[in-house]
Amino acid sequence: MSGWVLGIESTAHTLSFGAVRSDGTALPAAIDTIRPTEGGIHPREAADHHRDVAATLLDSLMEMHDLALTELQAVAYSQGPGMGPCLQVGAGIARALSAAHEIPLIGVNHCVAHIEIGRSECDCDDPVLLYVSGGNTQVITRLDGRYRVLGETLDIGIGNMLDKFARKFGHPFPGGPVIERHARTYLEANPDASLEGLELPYAVRGMDMAFSGIMTAAVAMVHRGVPFDAVCWSLQEHAFAACVEVAERAMAHAGKSELLLGGGVACNQRLRDMCTIMAKERDGESHAPPRMYCIDNGTMIAQLGWLEWSSGRTTSLAESAVNPGLRTDATPIAW
Ligand code: ATP
Ligand code: FE2
């Protein structure tokens, strides 16, 4: 056994504990996600879920990797952005462990954690990140010592859009994988599929995107009698093309050749393929971390905590409050 840093993720529907050994080795996380049978996620209900499963989940992480609390060297948690009640559960557990074991506390930026786990897992150096999750859709890159948001959604996150569309037709959260399956079924039956007759609004405005209009139009298309599989395929093609277009422009503006995918929607194989094609056309490379590190996970929090701790930054109790609106560019990059 050896020293380790714990990472606690609790920004939204997922509670997860992950770890990084003191030599920087990332260990797969224990993850528990609340799945409401109907409706969206209620922050209070998600927070109650996190509180209920926390002790068992932490035990399962330690058992999985043979970790002992006596060897715990620092504890990192998501300080924001996210849902206040959910963030507070993670912060509370982190403060308690930090006090009980007299070890440093490190509040980290959830969005930056998605970048850092991708950078270390994919061994890429200075990428443009296409961060596509339920709540967030951002194109981010490092400029002047901070991760800057070059473009983002003007309304809902792309994952929320997919989840809402799926829910309208009876598919519970998470809707993204269901849509991916239906889109694949359509393509298998129609290998020469064309978007003619399946056009949806394509909302890219400068470097920003919007997704609520496309969702409304896709719902209306199904109601008009267009087969669900076909609409799923078209929805993916349009929504992913918008993200890839903005990411490509960001690479051109910032003069970067690496693209990195992060966030739950980055599990999608079609999006991964579109990014690979785009990067290749620019003589660049597209990277996507293993799927367990795309979705929200405690390992990415531990990884960023380990980096910050190694570069000498910790969080005092007075600064440890959660920040639901924490911006990606609020975190100086000291590592
Ligand atoms: P964040 O807090 O960063 O906004 P999140 O809480 O939405 O993240 P994630 O685990 O990063 O959580 O992402 C969940 C989203 O990913 C859901 O919207 C889900 O539908 C979507 N998703 C998961 N797998 C796929 C897939 N294969 N294709 C498309 N979307 C997917
Ligand atoms: Fe996330």
Side-chain angles (χ1 to χ4, degrees), residues 9 11 110-111 114 131 133-134 136 263-264 294-297 300:
E9 161 56 29
T11 52
H110 173 94
C111 302
H114 274 291
Y131 171 32
S133 67
N136 293 290
C294 285
I295 57 169
D296 285 349
N297 65 91
M300 70 182 192

Side-chain angles (χ1 to χ4, degrees), residues 80-81 109-116 129 131 136 138 140 326 328:
N109 186 315
H110 173 94
C111 302
V112 174
H114 274 291
I115 307 178
E116 290 305 332
L129 177 82
Y131 171 32
N136 293 290
Q138 298 183 329
I140 303 167
L326 186 63
T328 302

Side-chain angles (χ1 to χ4, degrees), residues 194-216:
S194 126
L195 287 172
E196 218 181 302
L198 293 175
E199 290 93 353
L200 289 167
Y202 177 78
V204 173
R205 301 195 178 90
M207 292 293 284
D208 294 321
M209 298 148 272
F211 295 106
S212 49
I214 192 175
M215 197 216 46
T216 311

Side-chain angles (χ1 to χ4, degrees), residues 173-190:
F173 176 89
V178 176
I179 295 173
E180 180 174 24
R181 275 199 301 280
H182 282 272
R184 198 176 301 128
T185 305
Y186 180 70
L187 203 59
E188 277 162 12
N190 303 273

